[in-house]
Structure formats: C-alpha cells, structure tokens
Amino acid sequence: MDYFAQQLINGIVLGSIYGLIAIGYTMVYGIVGMINFAHGDIFMIGGFIALISFLILVSFGLTVVPVILLIVLLVSMAITALYGWTVERIAYRPLRHSFRLAPMLSAIGMSFVLTNYSQVAQGARVKPVPPIITGGYTLHEGAGGFVVQLSNIQIIVVVTTVVLLALFTWLVARTRLGRDMRACEQDQTMAALLGVDVDRTISMTFVIGAALAAVAGMMYLLYYGLVDFFMGFVAGIKAFTAAVLGGIGSLPGAMLGGLAIGLIETLWSAYFSVEYKDVAAFSILIVVLIFMPTGLLGRPEVEKV
Amino acid sequence: MDGVTTPAPKATAVSPGPGAAFIFKKALISALVALVLFSLMIGVRTEAGPSGQLIYWTRFGDLAAMVATVFGGSIVVELLRQWWGPVGTVRIVPQPVQTALATAGRWIAPVLLVFTFLVPVIFYNERYILDLGILVLTYVMLGWGLNVVVGLAGLLDLGYVAFYAVGAYSYALLATNFGLSFWVCLPLAGILAAFWGVLLGFPVLRLRGDYLAIVTLAFGEIIRLVIINWQSLTGGPNGVTGIPRPSLFGIPLTPGEDGLAAKLGIEFSPTHRIVFLFYLILALALLTNWVTIRLRRLPIGRAWEALREDEVACRALGINTTTTKLTAFATGAMFGGFAGAFFATRQGFISPESFTFQESALVLAIVVLGGMGSQLGVALAALTMIGGFELFRGLDQYRMLVFGLAMVLLMIWRPRGLIGHRAPTVFLHHSQAISSDLVKEGHG
C-alpha cells in the first residue's frame, strides 16, 4: 500500500509535466485544427533555456534559490514563447489555407529543425545539473521500513502546475483574448467578420502554449536534473497522447489525460517492466480510442456533409 | 529564413511597394527577434566539465554573425519579394513549364524507366552510384507503397516504417533461425506485414484524421520499442547479423564452385551482386507500381479514391468503408513488408535504428512532395529527396537541419507537391487534367 502511494505521488508529478505540454497541443488543435508537431521540441528548448539561464545566474554569484528560480522561470517562458511565435510565423501561417497535410509536414520539418538546431548549438550529450531543490517530507513510515516521501521539488511541480492551470483557465474564460480564442475555435471566418484579429489570436495561442511548455521543460530539468536535445520527441508524443486521451480541444481533458499517462507510466514501471512503459502508454491510447473515439472528455464529433 | 514574414503587399506596376524605410524596419525587427532567440542557445555553450559539473563559455562572435545573417537575409528576401512579386505556385514552377511537364509526363516516365534499366550498364564500375540507385529505388518502392494508403485512400499514416520493420525482421529471423531462402521469405514478409496492417486497421476504422495519425505514430513506436526490448528474439539494440544474401533462384552469387559466376563460366566480381540487387529492387518497385495502377481501375481502387474525397458520401453510396480502409492498409503494408525484406537482404544486418519515426516522415514527405497519388511524382520526389540527402552527407550533423528546413520551405512554396496535378481514373468523353488545388484529400 505504501509503495502504491509513493508511485501515485510520482505518477501525479510526471502527469503534471505531461499535462502542461498537452495544453499546448490541445489549444492549437482546438483553434487551428492541426497537430503542432514541433511542440515537443519547444518543450525541449524550454528546458535548455532554463538550464543555461540557471548556469549564468549561479556563476554571477546569485545564491537565493527562490529568486533564481523565478528569474529562470520568467526568462525561459519569455524566450521559449518567442520560439513558439517564430515557429508559427515561419511554418504555419503561410500554410493556414493550404490543404491539411501541408502544415503537418512543415510542422514535422520544423521539429527536425529544432531538434538538430539544439544538437548543433549545444552538443549531443546529456546535460546534467546538480539537484537545486532538496529536502522533503516523510508522509508515512510503513511497517517494513518503506517510507512514503513527498519531496519539495514534487510539491513545487504540482503547485506550479495547479497555479498555471488556474491562471490559464481564467484567461480563456474571462479575458478578451480568451473570448477571441473561443470565437476562433468555433468559426474563424465568422470571428474575423465580427472584428476578431484571427492572426493575432492564433499567434497568441502558440505563444501561450510555448510558455506553458517552457514551464514544463523547467520542471523536467528540476525534477530529473538533466536535459538533452532528443527529449522533445518522446515527451511530445506522450503529451499528444495525453491530449488525445483526454479529448483533444478540451483543456481539463488535457490535464486529465496528462495525469492518466503519468500514472499509467509510473505504475507500469513500478509493477511490470520499465522497458515496456512507453509501449503500455501507447497501447492504452489505442484501446481507449477504440472504445471512446473522441477521448475521455471530448465532444462527440459531428459529421458535416 | 527571416523571423518575421508578414505577407508583403502585392507588388504591381501601379504601386511600387513599400520603400527603404519599411524594408529596414522589417529587417531590424527580424534581427531583434533573432537576437533574443539565439541569445542563450547560440551565445552560450554548455558542456560537462572534467568533474562532471556543467561549465559554459560564451560565443558572442557566432551570435553576432547569426543576427547579422538574419538582418541581411531579411533585406535580401524583402527586395527579392518586391522585385519578383508574391511567391506563388506559378512563380516557383512557371505555368508554361508546368503544362510542358504535364505533356512531357507521358514521355518522362518511359524515358526514366529505360534509363533506370540502363543504370547498371552505364555505371557498372561506379559502386557508389549503384548503391545510391538501390537506395533511391528502395524509397521509390516505399513511397509507392505508402501512396496506396495516403495518396489513394487518403488515410494519414505516420507509422509506415513499422511495416518496413516487420518485413525486415520477418526475413531476418526466418532466414537466420530456420535457414529459409529469400524467395520463400519474401511473400511471407509481405503477408506478415499485411497482417499487421489489418491488425492496426481495426482500431483505426473508427478514427478520423488526426486521431488516425497519432495512432499510427504510436503503433510505429510500439513496434520499434518491442524490437528493442525483446532481446531474446530480435537481439535488441544490437540487431540481427549474418542475414543471408539473396540467391538467383537457388544459385548463390558467390565466388565458389556452385556460384553463378562459375556456372556461367565468367569471372566472379562482387559487382554482380550489386547489379542483381539493383534489378531486384527495380522489379519489386515496378510490381508495386503495376499492382497500384491495376487496383486503381478495379472497384476497390475506385472505392479508395472515393473514400479519400468524401467519406460520408462514400458511405451514402453503400461503399463498405471498413473493408475499404482495411484493404488499403493491408496493401500498403504488404509493399512495405516486401521493401523491408529487401532491405534486410541488402544490408545483411538490421537494427532498430533503421526504423525510427524519421524514416516514416521521410517516406511521407516523398509521397506528399510527389503530389499524392501521382506515381511519377513519387518517383521523382524520391530521387530529389534521397539524392539531395546524399549531397549533404558531408555536412553530418547539419544534414537533418537542412532537411527539416527544406521540408518547411518546400511545403510553403509547393504545398501540393512537385507534380501538382493528376489525371482522374474515371472520365467522361475525354480526359482532362484536374488541378490538385481543386481536390481535397487526407481527411481519413
């Protein structure tokens, strides 16, 4: 039971990271109706920028951890958001009215560009960082000597995710930008006729998605203590799986899907073989889609003739 | 590649376009964006130091060079755009050239085919060209195979390489464990791959569009991960070695007594095997092409094309979409399996590294670039892509960067592929080339 509780905690933390990336997929899909294939690499870039800005801050002699983390968070979100914006401008905007496969292929191309760009710029080796946040709480001491622990970093990851999710839900539900987004999701042409700047709204969607992915990248760096140029691909498919599992286009769905994938992966690794954890996650995706073709929280698709 | 590209106003004779101030301002913004983008990623380089601790050093020179390039590039692109007008399909491949290509298309195919047949004769002593030819033909075959699924049936398959892997491993394992010959294994590899295609087809049946894309992608990853981890069967990351070479209907192409060279009474040369492999993959590719063309004229092929155009209308007309999708998947997968078996016998060694998502993306790019559904287009696209890929071999780690950029730029300039038209299968009275801009596809 204790072991299970510990795995549950680990799974929720991992799921939060996936959920943050999945929101970027879900938002872009909801508005533009296409998979942003480069999103996983945006997450990877976010991790790299967090790493580099962290190194620079430390070498300047800054020692107050909360201040460092706040600056790293802001820098990483800002620069990665600009990456998201640039990717949209180069690879998606010119193809918005093209046929459906074209933006998907340019997105795959963009993903290759970003992966290899960071390999060329930063080298192929894994970049480790020493643990920045240490310590934690012992929740329960079991009879067999097994200790259920909740580390500070786990708390930070989950709290950050919850805060951002709340902020973001508010943004979509209450602000002008959120209303524009929802309008574009319904009907872009109609929204444009009613005075919504569609180009700007789509750009902002990419920017917000990239900023959230940057947070996920930073959390990944803090939690696992490493980044490498290839981590965007697998994290990207998992997060996309999460988005589809939750019902693509739905924000709570993305978070729920992220948690589900995180839990499945962690529990599978804990009780079965670690090697097949990705296989388990993808198989469950296929099984869920067979029985619920629009995901857990997805709206049933209406066939337009 | 300029950071900011707002669609420039149409440059006509009446309005000469925005002036120097506008161009300068735009370039300045691009440079500023580039400065922020590259500041940390290019300006700072991290590396693990001797004690394992990360160290970093700055590269402000490189950063300045990149920003300057973007600034200059932006000005050049903007000037070109004003001088040339908006970049449209007609600009990249002018309309007269397109029509000329369309009429020449009838002649290009036979000429290309004859030339391909003559390649081993002309370049007999050039091992590199023969190897490259085999590689290109392998991708032509893969492209034609995937074309059945994506180009004809309109189902977006991002995991095609899984069937290639199934074919390759089927042959490799059957040949190394049971000593079966290539000619026995070839159909088996095709059948096994088709079986997997049907298996994947089942969950896919209820899915549409992008869900299908992600399921096929996931399936490709599942196959690859299973191959990596099922060490006892597949050898894991080390792969399978010692895969037997193909024989010419039982006669091995070896220097020994019972080798082909000895039987024919000619001197043995290792080139014989290369030439044989060349004609083998050519035959397999032509088989794929022939079957596809024949199938297109049968009710099943028409059903695929109808499915691609409109699934709802298709169902309304009483076409069984389930079997239609399944047959498309199975047919495409079977050709992928054949190509996989050939790949295994050519290499003599296979490992999971050859079956990554990158390969799927490459084949998909070939199909889309070829103009989706155009057999000649796919062949030309394979030649361009693989040939181009070879050109940049010296660039090593920059190669994929260039490839990705090329994919993005080609999609922006020619979203409909290199050959953007195709003849309809069915027509009334007289055939008429349909611009692919009028055709929607890939809706799954």
Side-chain angles (χ1 to χ4, degrees), chain A residues 29 33-35 37 45 48-49 51-53 55-56 59-60 75 79 82-83 85-86 89-91 93-95 98-102 104-106 108-110 112-114 116-123 125 127-130 233 237 240-241 244 247-248 275-276 278-279 282-283 285-286 289-291 293-295 301 303-305, chain B residues 1-7 33 36-42 44-48 52-56 59 66 150 156 158 200 203 206-211 213-215 217-219 221-222 224-226 229-230 312 315 357-358 361 364-365 368-369 372 397-398 400-401 403-405 407-408 411-412 415-416 439 441-444:
Chain A
Y29 191 90
M34 52 166 257
I35 302 172
F37 243 94
I45 296 265
F48 262 103
I49 287 170
L51 170 87
I52 296 166
S53 49
L55 279 180
I56 292 174
S59 76
F60 277 172
V75 168
I79 297 184
L82 198 62
Y83 269 94
W85 182 82
T86 313
R89 268 294 165 86
I90 293 177
R93 184 166 295 183
L95 288 166
S98 195
F99 84 123
R100 221 180 48 85
L101 270 181
M104 171 166 272
L105 269 190
S106 80
I108 292 174
M110 211 59 214
F112 286 163
V113 168
L114 287 176
N116 290 280
Y117 156 71
S118 53
Q119 188 194 353
V120 168
Q122 298 293 332
R125 271 190 241 148
K127 311 278 174 197
V129 283
F233 178 65
I237 337 178
F240 186 75
T241 301
V244 171
I248 200 153
E275 292 85 23
Y276 287 101
D278 294 355
V279 175
F282 297 143
S283 308
L285 168 83
I286 294 178
L289 284 181
I290 293 173
F291 295 106
T294 49
E301 211 169 317
E303 276 179 13
K304 289 180 203 152
V305 184
Chain B
M1 55 167 267
D2 52 339
V4 263
T5 43
T6 40
V33 170
V36 179
L37 286 184
F38 298 141
S39 57
L40 292 182
M41 289 297 282
I42 301 280
V44 180
R45 170 70 197 245
T46 57
E47 198 61 79
Q53 196 84 352
L54 271 186
I55 49 169
Y56 77 90
R59 295 183 295 195
M66 294 281 281
V150 181
L156 183 51
L158 286 180
L200 170 63
R206 300 178 45 163
L207 306 177
R208 292 160 60 87
D210 298 283
Y211 288 90
I214 197 68
V215 165
L217 175 60
F219 177 77
E221 280 298 294
I222 290 176
R224 197 176 63 86
L225 289 166
V226 168
N229 291 310
W230 196 352
V312 179
R315 239 180 280 153
F357 170 66
Q358 207 173 296
L364 184 67
V368 175
L369 260 183
M372 303 249 310
Q397 56 176 344
Y398 292 90
M400 280 311 287
L401 192 66
F403 173 70
L405 268 181
M407 244 165 108
V408 174
M411 276 301 115
I412 292 172
R416 286 291 181 166
V439 183
E441 49 218 321
H443 282 258

